[in-house]
Amino acid sequence: RKEVEQDPGPFNVPEGATVAFNCTYSNSASQSFFWYRQDCRKEPKLLMSVYSSGNEDGRFTAQLNRASQYISLLIRDSKLSDSATYLCVVSGVNDYKLSFGAGTTVTVRA
Amino acid sequence: EADIYQTPRYLVIGTGKKITLECSQTMGHDKMYWYQQDPGMELHLIHYSYGVNSTEKGDLSSESTVSRIRTEHFPLTLESARPSHTSQYLCASSAGTGPNQPQHFGDGTRLSIL
């Protein structure tokens, strides 16, 4: 079983729509959670950290559900520039290595 | 914006050559990482370092080697390149203390072995 699993998508949504997707992780002792964004043929860039109480950054909202071992990302009022692959990233325990999901592709159309 | 630099950005080279991919960061981060990523696929950790003179193999077996003689520098070397080494190589670094430390990535090196 992979440490981090994501629905690969693609999620094709019109501009202005709301899109949400989850990822699940296998290690119940994981301490840190992140969402990264990766554009085609580019390096991953940190989108936001995910905190236990949930957090928001502009149009992006992240939630953590430790009991069910998943994290979610919601994008409101989608923009064309939100088209990318979103990587779910989870830390291990005590060693701070990160495990990356394979990514969820979002395509926002005009 | 993170200050982590990789050179070269692109390299096309013949089989059997020795290659060194450079990675430097100016943030004083203790932890540095090398990942390999094929197009459309997930990142795989191939090497990491927790500080000077510390190197460990990652989750994906790799024929490459790394060194960490200075905090800011974490080069990756392939002694004899083969076509199977064709991939994108991404270097990252993170601050050393506590959890919730994200990794910051360089622009990557696209390597093609003919």
Side-chain angles (χ1 to χ4, degrees):
Chain A
R1 183 186 171 190
K2 289 187 176 182
E3 291 187 52
V4 180
E5 301 217 42
Q6 294 185 248
D7 180 347
F11 288 75
N12 293 305
V13 300
E15 267 187 296
T18 295
V19 58
F21 41 90
N22 297 339
C23 92
T24 58
Y25 60 94
S26 61
N27 188 342
S28 61
S30 294
Q31 297 185 58
S32 303
F33 308 88
F34 309 94
W35 282 104
Y36 278 71
R37 171 196 170 123
Q38 186 172 27
D39 294 301
C40 188
R41 301 176 74 83
K42 298 283 192 179
E43 78 279 15
K45 292 188 177 178
L46 178 67
L47 180 66
M48 59 196 301
S49 300
V50 185
Y51 302 116
S52 296
S53 55
N55 49 299
E56 203 172 288
D57 183 0
R59 298 181 293 107
F60 297 85
T61 301
Q63 296 282 350
L64 168 63
N65 185 316
R66 283 192 184 272
S68 300
Q69 293 181 215
Y70 74 84
I71 67 173
S72 65
L73 181 67
L74 182 145
I75 308 172
R76 284 186 303 277
D77 189 22
S78 300
K79 311 291 184 192
L80 294 175
S81 57
D82 294 335
S83 297
T85 296
Y86 291 86
L87 307 178
C88 173
V89 184
V90 177
S91 74
V93 180
N94 298 326
D95 63 1
Y96 308 121
K97 286 191 296 180
L98 299 181
S99 294
F100 286 77
T104 296
T105 298
V106 173
T107 302
V108 182
R109 62 182 188 275
Chain B
E1 202 67 29
D3 296 320
I4 180 165
Y5 308 100
Q6 290 186 241
T7 57
R9 288 291 309 277
Y10 304 92
L11 179 61
V12 180
I13 200 165
T15 299
K17 302 291 186 182
K18 180 178 179 179
I19 300 165
T20 296
L21 307 184
E22 302 288 350
C23 177
S24 295
Q25 50 94 6
T26 59
M27 297 168 285
H29 285 171
D30 288 328
K31 294 179 171 61
M32 295 188 75
Y33 310 82
W34 275 104
Y35 292 88
Q36 187 173 340
Q37 186 181 33
D38 293 322
M41 305 297 286
E42 62 214 89
L43 281 80
H44 291 286
L45 180 68
I46 52 175
H47 297 284
Y48 61 100
S49 167
Y50 284 162
V52 171
N53 294 325
S54 146
T55 61
E56 302 286 344
K57 287 191 179 295
D59 305 320
L60 181 69
S61 174
S62 172
E63 292 165 349
S64 57
T65 59
V66 291
S67 63
R68 189 88 184 276
I69 298 171
R70 303 196 315 266
T71 298
E72 62 271 20
H73 194 213
F74 190 41
L76 180 145
T77 298
L78 283 162
E79 290 293 332
S80 180
R82 293 208 297 271
S84 60
H85 297 141
T86 295
S87 189
Q88 174 165 251
Y89 293 84
L90 289 157
C91 180
S93 71
S94 65
T97 54
N100 294 317
Q101 298 293 340
Q103 293 178 12
H104 302 280
F105 285 83
D107 291 339
T109 293
R110 278 194 190 278
L111 179 63
S112 293
I113 310 299
L114 305 177

